[in-house]
């Protein structure tokens, strides 16, 4: 198959709100835009970008008042998954998952029409045009925060449909905390987050269960240099309608105080 030209971004790849606190919230799957030349090669169901972490930037918008920096992409994970390594090494060996330029939806259905999935040359070009600018900015912002405060906490905000048999059995807990099995943050921070989660009874939760933290959490969380990273995977049923993708103001308002409590724990944590 001949190489397919990768369309250049028609707008900025991401938006960065620069805050004043030692906290960076990264929302790598919030984007839903798919360039038309790519969308034209997809099956109809994939063109809706169903595996988007819908509305997480809206859900976390309150964090600006806490002084957080917030990094939000514009393009879909179907263009390139910002939370996967550039060499596409599996983050969960032996389990069903999706890749750097996903060819399979979370439902198990194909993303592309037959014969239209991107080949290695196209994947590499998507990495350069869409993936690398996000990561370069993330690293620069962490460096800025650490330079100003002597420490930084990277909060990876994610969400997913609560039941996806292709990816996991049964019902996913409401809140899924991931710290790369304790490697991406100090024990004190993880313990503080678990105390905050355990102090409430509205939502069930798990730490380092099915979702232990993706590439960003694992790559940039380095407590020894003063950068701690935490991923929180939310079940979407708690703030939106999973079928229509509509935001639910009442559900979101009920959830946001707990999210704020967790972010305050992160802000109060002390780096090594």
């Amino acid at each position: 198959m001949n190489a397919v030209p990768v369309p250049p971004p028609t707008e900025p790849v991401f938006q960065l709100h620069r805050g004043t606190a030692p906290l960076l919230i990264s929302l790598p799957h919030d984007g839903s835009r798919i360039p038309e030349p790519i969308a034209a090669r997809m099956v109809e169901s994939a063109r809706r970008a169903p595996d988007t972490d819908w509305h997480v930037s809206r859900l976390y918008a309150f964090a600006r008042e806490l002084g957080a920096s917030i990094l939000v992409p514009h393009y879909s994970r179907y263009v390139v998954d910002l939370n996967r390594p550039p060499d596409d090494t599996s983050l969960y060996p032996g389990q069903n998952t999706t890749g750097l330029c996903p060819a399979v939806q979370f439902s198990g259905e194909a993303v592309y029409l037959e014969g239209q999935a991107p080949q290695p040359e196209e994947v590499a070009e998507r990495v350069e045009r869409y993936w690398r600018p996000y990561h370069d900015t993330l690293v620069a912002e962490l460096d800025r925060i650490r330079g100003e405060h002597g420490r930084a906490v990277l909060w990876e905000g994610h969400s997913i449909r609560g039941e996806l048999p292709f990816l996991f059995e049964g019902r996913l807990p409401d809140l899924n905390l991931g710290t790369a099995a304790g490697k991406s943050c100090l024990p004190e921070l993880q313990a503080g987050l678990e105390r905050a989660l355990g102090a409430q009874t509205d939502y069930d939760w798990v730490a380092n269960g099915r979702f232990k933290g993706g590439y960003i959490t694992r790559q940039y969380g380095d407590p020894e240099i003063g950068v701690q990273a935490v991923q929180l995977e939310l079940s979407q049923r708690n703030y939106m309608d999973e079928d229509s993708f509509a935001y639910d103001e009442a559900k979101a308002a009920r959830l946001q105080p707990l999210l704020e409590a967790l972010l305050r724990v992160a802000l109060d944590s002390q780096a090594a």
Side-chain angles (χ1 to χ4, degrees):
M1 179 184 294
N2 294 330
V4 177
V6 175
T10 56
E11 59 183 298
V13 173
F14 58 84
Q15 178 180 355
L16 172 65
H17 166 76
R18 184 167 286 128
T20 58
L23 174 63
L24 171 60
I25 299 176
S26 163
L27 306 172
H29 296 148
D30 182 84
S32 59
R33 293 177 177 83
I34 303 173
E36 181 54 35
I38 295 176
R41 295 156 53 196
M42 292 180 171
V43 301
E44 184 175 354
S45 61
R47 293 172 194 161
R48 299 177 68 209
D51 300 333
T52 301
D53 291 13
W54 294 106
H55 311 297
V56 286
S57 58
R58 184 174 178 180
L59 189 66
Y60 278 100
F62 71 87
R64 293 186 179 209
E65 298 176 9
L66 302 178
S69 296
I70 305 177
L71 183 60
V72 185
H74 290 147
Y75 289 92
S76 168
R77 72 193 305 156
Y78 284 176
V79 178
V80 67
D81 192 328
L82 300 172
N83 201 30
R84 295 291 185 275
D87 64 1
D88 206 14
T89 300
S90 177
L91 296 170
Y92 296 98
Q95 300 183 54
N96 283 345
T97 185
T98 57
L100 180 61
C101 289
V104 179
Q105 302 178 46
F106 286 174
S107 64
E109 300 171 84
V111 170
Y112 291 91
L113 298 166
E114 187 174 354
Q116 294 296 312
Q119 300 302 302
E121 184 177 341
E122 180 183 355
V123 171
E125 192 170 351
R126 291 193 198 184
V127 167
E128 291 304 313
R129 288 193 169 182
Y130 294 91
W131 186 98
R132 201 161 303 284
Y134 188 90
H135 283 261
D136 287 348
T137 298
L138 189 153
V139 170
E141 185 64 6
L142 284 176
D143 287 346
R144 181 194 69 81
I145 291 171
R146 190 159 58 99
E148 291 184 7
H149 299 277
R151 62 190 180 99
V153 176
L154 172 61
W155 188 272
E156 275 287 290
H158 294 260
S159 75
I160 194 170
R161 193 177 183 95
E163 294 186 25
L164 284 169
F166 179 71
L167 294 181
F168 48 81
E169 294 182 3
R171 171 190 176 279
L172 194 69
D174 294 325
L175 294 97
N176 301 266
L177 193 69
T179 62
K183 297 177 183 177
S184 66
C185 73
L186 293 171
E188 293 82 0
L189 174 53
Q190 180 162 332
L193 294 170
E194 291 185 4
R195 280 194 299 271
L197 289 168
Q200 56 80 44
T201 57
D202 291 333
Y203 303 96
D204 57 0
W205 60 278
V206 68
N208 293 306
R210 171 61 178 84
F211 295 97
K212 295 178 173 61
Y215 174 76
I216 292 175
T217 301
R218 302 183 199 191
Q219 177 70 13
Y220 301 119
D222 189 348
E224 291 188 0
I225 66 168
V227 178
Q228 302 185 81
V230 174
Q231 176 175 299
L232 183 64
E233 187 86 53
L234 300 169
S235 289
Q236 291 175 340
R237 61 177 174 266
N238 294 300
Y239 71 92
M240 60 174 277
D241 183 272
E242 293 183 323
D243 295 323
S244 69
F245 306 151
Y247 191 75
D248 188 316
E249 291 276 7
K251 286 184 176 181
R254 181 169 173 258
L255 175 61
Q256 284 170 322
L258 177 56
L259 297 181
E260 181 175 347
L262 295 172
L263 293 182
R264 289 189 181 277
V265 170
L267 279 169
D268 291 341
S269 65
Q270 296 297 315

